[in-house]
Structures are given as C-alpha cells and as structure tokens.
Amino acid sequence: AVPLSPEDRALLEMYNNIILNINYNHMGSSHDPTHHDLDYNLFGMIDSGEYSANTNDLVADPGFAGIPLSGDAGDHKGSDVELADFVPGASEAIDTGTSSGSVPAYDILGEERPQGSAPDRGVFETNP
C-alpha cells in the first residue's frame, strides 16, 4: 500500500462512531489531530496517551447486548438483525451524534438520519 500524504490523511473523518478503543502503539504511530478529523464518537475506553477525546466525544459503555460472538459472518448481518441487539434505547449513543462533516444521511439499514433530535452514534439509527 502507498502511504497517504499529509494532505490526504487530513481528509480522514470519523464522526458518530462507536469505538471500543484506539491504540496507536501497535501501529508504531501516535495520534496527530492534523491528520484525522474525529468528533462525536462514543468510546468504550481511551487508553492514556493514545487519543485525547474531542469536545463532543463520549467515553461510556455503549450498551451492546445480544451480539453474536461466532466467527460466522451470517450471524452479523441479514434481515434478522435488530437494532436492540446492538444499541438498546438507554445507550448514550442515541440522539447524541452530529450531521456535520461527511455523515451519511442514512444508516446501514437504509433508515434516514436523524430519527430523533440528532443522529445516533454508530451504524444504526433508532426509530422512536
């Protein structure tokens, strides 16, 4: 792979994601905010010295429930996937995202965003 130029890296945007953690040490790198545009993400945890949360990032339990742990890709997609399997209604991910940046107008299942007062963080948009 060809390394990205600083100009191209500056175009990387991450908004409204649910992320367990960011660990740059395994890449032999460190966070450089001039190369990435991150905000409005929900982190399960942030290791000290790895990434400094931006103003609108949350560090909280995303409240995942019932996610299949098998290696079978069929368990992780399809028409039987329910939002409640991934983010229950009590999650801090609900209605706390942003519409700014390159945030898609639809979630992974084709639901229009936002359904509430703001987009949800993560790939699913709840439908009240």
Side-chain angles (χ1 to χ4, degrees), residues 74-85:
D75 286 344
H76 301 278
K77 60 184 178 183
S79 61
D80 60 343
V81 172
E82 296 290 332
L83 176 66
D85 291 338

Side-chain angles (χ1 to χ4, degrees), residues 8-87:
D8 290 338
R9 285 192 305 265
L11 300 176
L12 297 175
E13 296 182 344
M14 289 179 58
Y15 293 100
N16 296 348
N17 295 284
I18 298 175
I19 303 166
L20 174 60
N21 194 9
I22 292 182
N23 182 336
Y24 292 99
N25 285 332
H26 76 278
M27 298 184 300
S29 185
S30 62
H31 178 252
D32 183 344
T34 64
H35 294 174
H36 305 93
D37 191 6
L38 288 82
D39 206 359
Y40 286 92
N41 297 298
L42 189 153
F43 291 89
M45 64 194 317
I46 295 179
D47 288 337
S48 175
E50 289 294 318
Y51 171 76
S52 297
N54 285 315
T55 305
N56 300 297
D57 286 335
L58 296 174
V59 179
D61 181 351
F64 291 152
I67 297 175
L69 298 177
S70 78
D72 183 356
D75 286 344
H76 301 278
K77 60 184 178 183
S79 61
D80 60 343
V81 172
E82 296 290 332
L83 176 66
D85 291 338
F86 295 93
V87 182

